[in-house]
Amino acid sequence: SQQGEEDPQALSIQEGENATMNCSYKTSINNLQWYRQNSGRGLVHLILIRSNEREKHSGRLRVTLDTSKKSSSLLITASRAADTASYFCATRTNDMRFGAGTRLTVKP
Amino acid sequence: DAGVIQSPRHEVTEMGQEVTLRCKPISGHDYLFWYRQTMMRGLELLIYFNNNVPIDDSGMPEDRFSAKMPNASFSTLKIQPSEPRDSAVYFCASSPATAVIGGPDTQYFGPGTRLTVL
């Protein structure tokens, strides 16, 4: 069963704008990860944030985690057309559970 | 390293036939995961192994599905008999106990096998 739920399901923005995607989950976690999936390809790991961390940066990515609200957000700054993909959050307890994903379209 | 290797990349079969999907994890990884992805259900974890031992198979939909990992470099997911509702993309992923890049728990996905059951 799915653990994380991404919001929105789909997001369309112009190149250069920022994209924010949210993830909510149900149970306590050890860490939360974000993955990207280009159409027809496997998932690629982007960033991991541990349950005792509140914010993490990696290049144009910024992830926040609020364990009290059981939610996380992924911010992509200065988006590019190449960022067009589906983005999934995954929560780690004893195993890994993925959400349904947010489909991001960045228009050139 | 070539990454996680899956074969075949595409499989078209008829209902009732046996289907075997194959996966070669990244050398040295301790964990191997099988996922199924469909538009309706998203990405579902079917089963995962640690050091070749199945740890959690609660995601396996029914007895028609079975998975084995006879050694550290090979795993199979078998569907017998196959049904049209099994049509999906099946991903294999592997994960090290600890990783140099990405930190622990990072999973590395294969390209997937697109299964179509007619």
Side-chain angles (χ1 to χ4, degrees), chain B residues 23-107:
Chain B
C23 175
K24 182 181 184 334
I26 294 173
S27 177
H29 281 192
D30 295 331
Y31 292 86
L32 184 140
F33 304 81
W34 281 102
Y35 292 90
R36 177 174 67 177
Q37 187 176 38
T38 62
M39 290 293 291
M40 291 295 293
R41 294 187 296 271
L43 195 65
E44 301 173 280
L45 175 65
L46 300 178
I47 184 172
Y48 77 97
F49 297 82
N50 181 21
N51 292 323
N52 313 338
V53 176
I55 302 301
D56 185 352
D57 65 354
S58 60
M60 297 285 263
E62 45 196 281
D63 293 343
R64 298 184 297 106
F65 286 70
S66 63
K68 294 182 180 179
M69 192 165 186
N71 57 63
S73 60
F74 184 66
S75 176
T76 60
L77 177 67
K78 186 176 292 186
I79 308 172
Q80 166 63 17
S82 58
E83 297 182 2
R85 60 195 170 116
D86 302 330
S87 297
V89 180
Y90 290 81
F91 288 102
C92 175
S94 68
S95 174
T98 58
V100 174
I101 298 175
D105 302 307
T106 300
Q107 293 192 14

